[in-house]
Amino acid sequence: MDKAMIRTRFAPSPTGFMHIGNLRTALFEYLVAKSAGGRFILRIEDTDQERYVEGATEKIYEALAISGIEYDEGPDKDGGFGPYVQSERKNIYMERAMELVEAGRAYLCFCSEDRLEALHDAQKTSDFKGYDRHCRHLDEAEISRYLEEKRPFVIRQKMPLEGETSYDDAVFGRISVANETLEDQVLIKSDGFPTYNFANVIDDHDMQITHVVRGCEYLSSTPKYILLYEAFGYEVPTFVHLPLINGKDGHKLSKRHGATSFEDLLSEGYLPEAIINYLALLGWSPGGTQEIFSLEELCEHFKIKGIQKAPAVFDEDKLKWFNSQYLQAMSNDAFNARAMPYYLEVFGSKPLPARLDILAEILKPRLERLSEIPEKIAFLAERFDYELDLFNHKKMKTSPETAYPVFKKLIPWIESLEVFDHDPVYEGLVEFAKSEGLKNGQVMGPLRAALTAVPVSPGGAVEALCLLGRDEALARLNIAIEKIEAAQAAQA
């Protein structure tokens, strides 16, 4: 292994869906490594058995694959540093913990749950909060007796009682914490599984992780990790703490702010590329004015010094803008491939429009999210009822009465159409209006209304005509004629 190579890891717990805060952490870990030609490792931290959610590990794989964040090593990509699943490393943690016990840097704690609960209750009004180190100085005879009695125990680290522990964070600078404020943390739980803190240190050392990238909520607890590294004599990695992600109200992002998981954002019609692009800018500044970056471009531009200390603000309106930019930049074929599930949601077993290229052209500049598609194209699959005032337009001076003769004359014109392409249809309608002594809008406005039956539609009469095709367009135009004739007969 090249000792100069940067190695980062993403170590999620399989306890649910991928929160966008976790995804941003994975992205930054990926960028720290890839911007320097390093390796990005996936490690599954499944030691918290109580919170384990069936199927959550598969969700992690799926989210990384969809987002394009490819790991170099992981449970299914052995790089020589496995196992990459913590539950498969259980014996390693116990062995290392006992090494600390034998070295006098950790101890067995036999305190019962009842005692710990009573201690917690008693400390509610005291300044000190945490374990009172009751078992820290047990003599060998007591320890032997408790073990013979098979009393359950945890293994706790002996924290220094004086001085302070300091480290230099790559983003937040020098961080110091008084040792007297540090609780004798649990390293091995009573079920034999390691705590998050302990397993992280062991795994990061064994997997030669050079840079630990995580949220700034760990800033104050990192000295606990530092002391573990020092207790083992391990080299301390570089710590890179990321700023918080807040909602627009200034509070830490949570479900009350709307969709906060990657899966939710995808289901709402956001593209993974747009989400990744936006997340990269939550707490990192590339300098300059460029905002749209592919993942490859992010790797080229990324520098740790661009990470900011101030909390980032998750603004869904800004994410919608990013998404709209990506949608507009897509080819028609690529867009239609992404949009197909939404088309099928509308059309079901009915045939899709023949001119999906035209549909893509009119939708791309009018969307912020793919999930908006069904509402915009529903008129193509269903004939809506409508009132005749849909044909009224004060500025164009159109009404059902003025539209009626236009529709009657458009019937044979549409019947004669051979090609339903945008340009010839547009040119034909312009020529038709001219021959009738009408403005373009006096023909295309009422025609669009008759074909779509909605006040606002993506595209105009030309696009509606091309998408519906000859037979459906004629059927809808005849419906409009019949509605006007019925109204006229009722007034007679």
Side-chain angles (χ1 to χ4, degrees):
M1 175 63 63
D2 181 359
K3 291 189 176 181
M5 175 178 286
I6 288 180
R7 289 173 59 83
T8 65
R9 50 74 175 166
F10 178 49
S13 298
T15 55
F17 292 112
M18 179 78 77
H19 187 276
I20 59 173
N22 292 337
L23 185 61
R24 187 201 54 171
T25 298
L27 173 61
F28 276 56
E29 289 164 339
Y30 177 85
L31 295 176
V32 167
K34 293 305 175 181
S35 63
R39 292 176 71 79
F40 173 64
I41 293 89
L42 172 64
R43 187 171 72 224
I44 302 299
E45 299 195 342
D46 61 345
T47 56
D48 190 344
Q49 296 295 295
E50 292 183 1
R51 297 179 61 222
Y52 177 81
V53 174
E54 191 70 34
T57 300
E58 289 68 28
K59 288 291 183 182
I60 293 168
Y61 294 138
E62 182 181 337
L64 292 177
I66 292 174
S67 65
I69 301 176
E70 184 175 353
Y71 50 92
D72 299 294
E73 301 173 27
D76 58 344
K77 291 184 180 180
D78 187 11
F81 294 90
Y84 296 90
V85 178
Q86 282 188 340
S87 60
E88 298 174 14
R89 300 169 59 83
K90 184 178 176 182
N91 292 337
I92 297 174
Y93 308 126
M94 181 60 79
E95 290 172 3
R96 301 289 175 86
M98 291 309 297
E99 287 179 17
L100 292 182
V101 172
E102 292 168 7
R105 292 180 174 274
Y107 59 94
L108 306 186
C109 174
F110 298 91
C111 290
S112 66
E113 288 293 329
D114 290 342
R115 183 183 185 278
L116 294 175
E117 287 180 13
L119 178 64
H120 175 74
D121 291 340
Q123 290 178 345
K124 287 181 179 179
T125 58
S126 66
D127 293 333
F128 180 79
K129 300 288 192 299
Y131 181 61
D132 61 358
R133 301 186 172 94
H134 175 76
C135 292
R136 181 164 172 152
H137 302 295
L138 292 177
D139 59 37
E140 290 299 324
E142 287 178 293
I143 294 173
S144 296
R145 179 163 58 86
Y146 292 152
L147 289 174
E148 287 177 5
E149 294 173 356
K150 299 188 182 301
R151 285 198 190 185
F153 65 86
V154 301
I155 299 179
R156 291 183 182 271
Q157 182 184 5
K158 281 185 179 179
M159 292 296 184
L161 303 178
E162 299 177 341
E164 63 180 22
T165 299
S166 303
Y167 70 100
D168 292 307
D169 182 73
V171 177
F172 289 85
R174 190 71 170 174
I175 304 294
S176 298
V177 173
N179 291 331
E180 65 180 4
T181 65
L182 301 177
E183 183 181 12
D184 284 4
Q185 65 176 337
V186 174
L187 305 181
I188 300 292
K189 296 176 287 187
S190 58
D191 62 3
F193 279 93
T195 57
Y196 174 85
N197 293 350
F198 186 58
N200 260 267
V201 170
I202 301 302
D203 293 345
D204 287 346
H205 168 75
D206 289 358
M207 296 179 185
Q208 297 186 11
I209 302 303
T210 63
H211 290 65
V212 173
V213 184
R214 58 191 181 190
C216 65
E217 59 267 28
Y218 291 101
L219 272 171
S220 61
S221 64
T222 296
K224 295 181 180 180
Y225 294 79
I226 301 293
L227 289 168
L228 274 174
Y229 281 103
E230 293 177 349
F232 282 112
Y234 295 161
E235 183 177 351
V236 178
T238 297
F239 288 96
V240 183
H241 285 92
L242 307 176
L244 290 173
I245 301 178
N246 288 342
K248 292 172 73 172
D249 59 1
H251 293 94
K252 186 176 179 180
L253 192 67
S254 65
K255 289 183 178 180
R256 70 173 179 272
H257 295 106
T260 57
S261 78
F262 183 52
E263 291 83 355
D264 285 344
L265 291 177
L266 292 176
S267 68
E268 289 191 3
Y270 290 100
L271 299 172
E273 308 96 295
I275 298 171
I276 289 297
N277 190 159
Y278 181 59
L279 289 181
L281 300 178
L282 287 182
W284 172 72
S285 174
T289 58
Q290 182 177 349
E291 290 187 283
I292 304 299
F293 292 91
S294 66
L295 190 53
E296 292 74 18
E297 289 174 324
L298 287 171
C299 291
E300 294 171 5
H301 287 79
F302 187 84
K303 290 182 175 59
I304 291 177
K305 67 180 182 181
I307 300 176
Q308 302 162 333
K309 297 179 183 179
V313 176
F314 183 82
D315 182 348
E316 191 166 358
D317 289 335
K318 186 67 173 178
L319 176 57
K320 288 178 181 178
W321 178 84
F322 271 94
N323 207 55
S324 69
Q325 299 305 298
Y326 274 84
L327 290 171
Q328 290 178 45
M330 296 174 78
S331 69
N332 289 342
D333 287 344
F335 175 85
N336 283 326
R338 299 286 186 96
M340 188 56 65
Y342 299 94
Y343 293 165
L344 295 176
E345 180 182 329
V346 172
F347 285 91
S349 60
K350 298 177 183 178
L352 295 173
R355 300 304 305 271
L356 289 182
D357 56 329
I358 293 177
L359 185 57
E361 284 292 338
I362 65 173
L363 285 176
K364 287 191 298 182
R366 294 172 171 84
L367 292 177
E368 290 183 318
R369 296 171 297 174
L370 290 169
S371 56
E372 298 165 6
I373 289 175
E375 182 180 2
K376 291 185 181 296
I377 69 170
F379 74 91
L380 293 173
E382 182 180 354
R383 296 175 185 174
F384 298 138
D385 194 16
Y386 56 91
E387 300 297 327
L388 290 180
D389 60 7
L390 190 65
F391 300 124
N392 292 324
H393 194 290
K394 188 174 182 180
K395 185 176 180 181
M396 280 291 108
K397 297 180 180 179
T398 62
S399 65
E401 291 73 27
T402 63
Y404 181 77
V406 172
F407 292 163
K408 294 287 284 186
K409 293 180 180 179
L410 278 173
I411 294 290
W413 182 83
I414 293 174
E415 288 174 338
S416 68
L417 273 179
E418 295 181 358
V419 179
F420 282 74
D421 282 334
H422 182 280
D423 289 350
V425 170
Y426 174 77
E427 292 167 2
L429 284 174
V430 169
E431 184 61 32
F432 175 88
K434 184 179 179 181
S435 68
E436 296 295 320
L438 300 171
K439 295 178 180 179
N440 292 344
Q442 292 174 315
V443 173
M444 296 190 188
L447 176 59
R448 185 209 64 80
L451 296 180
T452 67
V454 293
V456 179
S457 61
V462 175
E463 290 81 6
L465 189 51
C466 292
L467 289 169
L468 291 170
R470 178 184 290 105
D471 292 345
E472 183 63 20
L474 287 171
R476 295 188 181 198
L477 208 51
N478 277 311
I479 289 173
I481 291 171
E482 291 170 3
K483 286 175 74 75
I484 296 172
E485 289 176 342
Q488 290 173 342
Q491 291 176 352

